[in-house]
Amino acid sequence: MSDLIGYLITGLGIGAGFALVASGLVAIHRVTRVVNFAQGGFAVLAALLTSTLLSAGLPHGVAELGGVALGALAGLIVGVVAIGRPDTSPGTSLIVTLGLGVLAYAIEVLIWGDQPRSFPGVPGVAEVGGARIPAHYLLIIAVTAVVFALMTWFFGGTDLGRALTACASNRYAAQVVGIDVRRMGLLAFTIGGALGGLAGVLTTPVQQVTFDSDVTLIVNGFAAAVLGGLTRPTIALAGGLLLGVTQTVVAGYGGGAYQTEVALVLMLTVMIVQAARTGPVPETAR
Amino acid sequence: MNRWALAGVAVVTLALPPLLPERHLATFVLLLLAATVTVGVSLLMGYAGQVSLGQASFYAIGAYAAALPAVHGVPSLLGLVLAPVAAAVAAVLLGAPLLRLRGHHLAFATLAVQLILLSLLAQADWAGGAIGLQGIPRLTILGFELRDLGYAYAAWSVLAIALLIARNVVDSRPGRALRAAATSETAAAASGVAVGRHRLAVFTLSAALAGLAGGVYAFYLGYLSPGSFPVLLSIEFVVMAVVGGLGTLAGPVVGATVIILLVQLLNTLGTQPGMPDYAPSVLSYAVYALLLITCVLYLPKGLVPALRHPRKAGITR
């Protein structure tokens, strides 16, 4: 029993990372209709910068904030390139973000090399229900909970957040009432970048980061986000936690080699069932 | 391209291999194989309007399907025939459920398929596991064992076959139906095009081309491992297709040539004494990324149409 509690909590911690990546994808997609392939790259960049800042002697907290800020900046830059030109279709933007993801590889290898990196998180071991778990997992879960609560407040309770939600539900109507849709798109990219960066900064102490870890992150993040049709942050949170828990439970009970397959097959099934239920995704006019 | 220019290109490329030093001959072979896969990717993207981020998985399936029987003593030519067949069968089985998806959903689904395949291959001890499959015999055609030059001509023939098939598909009735479906699926379906079947057919064809190229690759290198088929390879094929120009026959060949030569050049530059050891990989990532982004944003039709009609394909869209 204590094994299961242990798996559940580490699973929630890992799933919280996926959920943060997923919510970044959702934040960008619902406003701009772009699926941002560079989303995993934000996490990697933020984690790598944090490791450098920490080894340069900056205290915990400041270094992590620096990482998240870099994630947000990278998000803004990706946004400018991906949707900066008027009339860039979401399909074109997807390919552009794919290209930017590869460009991030060049920058990361140039600055940080291609070896895995990590940095210490919260030290010590916590005991929950008889299970001994590295205390850092509890921090990940707590921070993610706070961030999702803040996002709910931001999107529903502030003017800026409501403007973003307006763009998400109807671009044309949002334009009519005087919202600058492109600027909102860039803001969405910046928020997405910060969320991705936060995911990287939080999970790196328990999972090493290399320049190409973004593939795992983006695939799991997409799998979590696709459950809610890439538009609903709360379902993305649930999806991410579900994925994390499933993977650790599968790994914990002896299927360690197959934990990636579990997530990927789950994602494929969800997408195929969704497509079968709703028919093909509606075409955009060209 | 007119008939004479085509014949000229064919003659030059056929005369080239014996003149190349061994190092460049390897580039030549890999270039032709990459172009073959890109022909399939270009058909899929340009005519069916779908992005596959997992084309390297069919390249891998073809390579393993050719190499595994050959390692166990089956004649290597039979293995080469098996390569496209295995890739096509895999494409039909995968395509039936996956091609219900469109756009970014399909892109992620194909990426997921490749990750699953790589993970399974790494655990499959019968296929060499993560260490890889070694001791693949050389390709023997009619009792004649191929050496380096032989592979150059084998790869040349494979690309010629791919281009011939692609041209016939494009000019055919199903080809026109596909183009209609890529523009507007609803309109095509309303006009009586069996969109799903055509889409599956082109997906299967592109997989078979990748599989055939993979078969030659396996015999040429003599060693395979899951690491030979990274996700980045699939992205490379997309870059080549987009840079060359979707929906043209010359596009994939031009795209593959430009990218492989550029990367090779930068590789030579990056391995000069005094350069840091990460220079080659940094340079090649940067090239893929910058070419892809520039082409998609400023030359959305790719290099070939842009060279043909410099004014039309430029900034105006």
Side-chain angles (χ1 to χ4, degrees), chain B residues 13 41 48 76 105 116 125 133 242 258 266-267 283 292-293 303:
Chain B
T13 47
V41 174
S76 52
H105 289 98
I116 293 174
D125 290 328
L133 194 61
V242 170
V258 167
L266 290 173
N267 216 6
L283 288 172
L292 183 65
I293 297 166
L303 276 180

Side-chain angles (χ1 to χ4, degrees), chain B residues 29 41 62 74 78 87 137 147 157 163 172 176 185-186 191 193 203 244 263 271 280 309 311 317:
Chain B
V29 173
V41 174
V74 176
L78 189 65
R147 295 267 152 215
S157 324
L163 287 171
S172 69
R176 288 195 297 277
E185 208 177 308
T186 320
S191 318
V193 174
F203 186 66
V263 166
T271 45
H309 313 283
R311 243 166 280 144
R317 278 203 296 153

Side-chain angles (χ1 to χ4, degrees), chain A residues 76-276:
Chain A
L76 180 62
I77 294 172
V78 169
V80 168
V81 180
I83 61 165
R85 277 166 63 91
D87 304 330
T88 312
S89 76
T92 307
S93 298
L94 171 77
I95 307 256
V96 171
T97 57
L98 182 67
L100 288 168
V102 178
L103 188 62
Y105 282 7
I107 296 168
E108 286 152 10
V109 175
L110 186 67
I111 300 179
W112 288 284
D114 53 6
Q115 292 308 304
R117 285 194 171 223
S118 191
F119 50 82
V122 177
V125 174
E127 230 183 89
V128 182
R132 296 170 58 78
I133 317 143
H136 189 80
Y137 283 103
L138 300 179
L139 176 79
I140 302 178
I141 297 170
V143 172
T144 309
V146 171
V147 166
F148 270 85
L150 277 176
M151 277 205 297
T152 315
W153 166 76
F154 174 72
F155 283 115
T158 62
D159 283 349
L160 196 57
R162 276 193 225 125
L164 279 169
T165 310
C167 295
S169 67
N170 189 332
R171 283 176 77 86
Y172 180 69
Q175 248 166 340
V176 168
V177 298
I179 296 171
D180 184 342
V181 175
R182 186 128 46 106
R183 188 177 293 169
M184 288 300 135
L186 293 181
L187 178 64
F189 264 98
T190 313
I191 295 174
L195 288 167
L198 187 63
V201 165
L202 279 177
T203 56
T204 303
V206 292
Q207 275 177 334
Q208 287 187 322
V209 64
T210 29
F211 73 98
D212 58 359
S213 337
D214 70 318
V215 176
T216 331
L217 281 170
I218 182 74
V219 168
N220 281 298
F222 184 83
V226 85
L227 277 172
L230 292 169
T231 49
R232 290 147 76 182
T234 22
I235 299 193
L237 172 65
L241 296 179
L242 179 72
L243 269 182
V245 170
T246 319
Q247 286 187 18
T248 31
V249 169
V250 167
Y253 287 109
Y258 293 101
Q259 52 173 322
T260 354
E261 280 90 332
V262 171
L264 296 171
V265 170
L266 189 70
M267 162 175 121
L268 290 175
T269 318
V270 167
M271 288 200 294
I272 291 165
V273 169
Q274 276 177 352

Side-chain angles (χ1 to χ4, degrees), chain B residues 77-253:
Chain B
L77 193 58
L78 189 65
L80 189 61
V81 175
L82 266 175
V85 175
V89 170
V92 170
L93 294 179
L94 289 170
L98 290 190
L99 289 177
R100 288 164 178 273
L101 308 173
R102 305 282 184 272
H104 55 252
H105 289 98
L106 184 64
F108 270 94
T110 46
L111 177 66
V113 165
Q114 183 171 354
L115 291 174
I116 293 174
L117 179 74
L118 290 180
S119 173
L120 290 178
L121 275 177
Q123 291 157 49
D125 290 328
W126 50 269
I131 301 155
L133 194 61
Q134 290 160 4
I136 301 166
R138 291 187 157 263
L139 187 58
T140 311
I141 297 175
L142 306 173
F144 181 75
E145 197 183 270
L146 292 193
R147 295 267 152 215
D148 287 352
L149 215 51
Y151 285 102
Y153 290 113
W156 192 93
S157 324
V158 162
L159 177 59
I161 294 171
L163 287 171
L164 200 66
I165 294 176
R167 197 201 65 174
N168 288 337
V169 167
V170 168
D171 286 346
S172 69
R173 197 178 147 85
R176 288 195 297 277
L178 266 173
R179 231 169 315 163
T183 321
S184 166
E185 208 177 308
T186 320
S191 318
V193 174
V195 177
R197 228 172 39 207
H198 282 111
R199 203 193 287 271
L200 185 60
V202 81
F203 186 66
T204 309
L205 175 64
S206 76
L209 293 178
L212 182 60
V216 177
Y217 175 82
F219 292 120
Y220 178 61
L221 283 204
Y223 165 73
L224 292 176
S225 78
S228 324
F229 308 97
V231 171
L232 198 67
L233 186 63
S234 293
I235 298 179
E236 263 180 66
F237 294 137
V238 171
V239 178
M240 289 171 185
V242 170
V243 168
L246 299 174
T248 61
L249 275 182
V253 183

Side-chain angles (χ1 to χ4, degrees), chain B residues 3-27:
Chain B
R3 217 162 273 253
W4 290 109
L6 194 65
V9 171
V11 168
V12 169
T13 47
L14 277 174
L16 201 57
L19 306 174
L20 289 171
E22 199 177 334
R23 207 163 62 86
H24 295 313
L25 195 62
T27 311

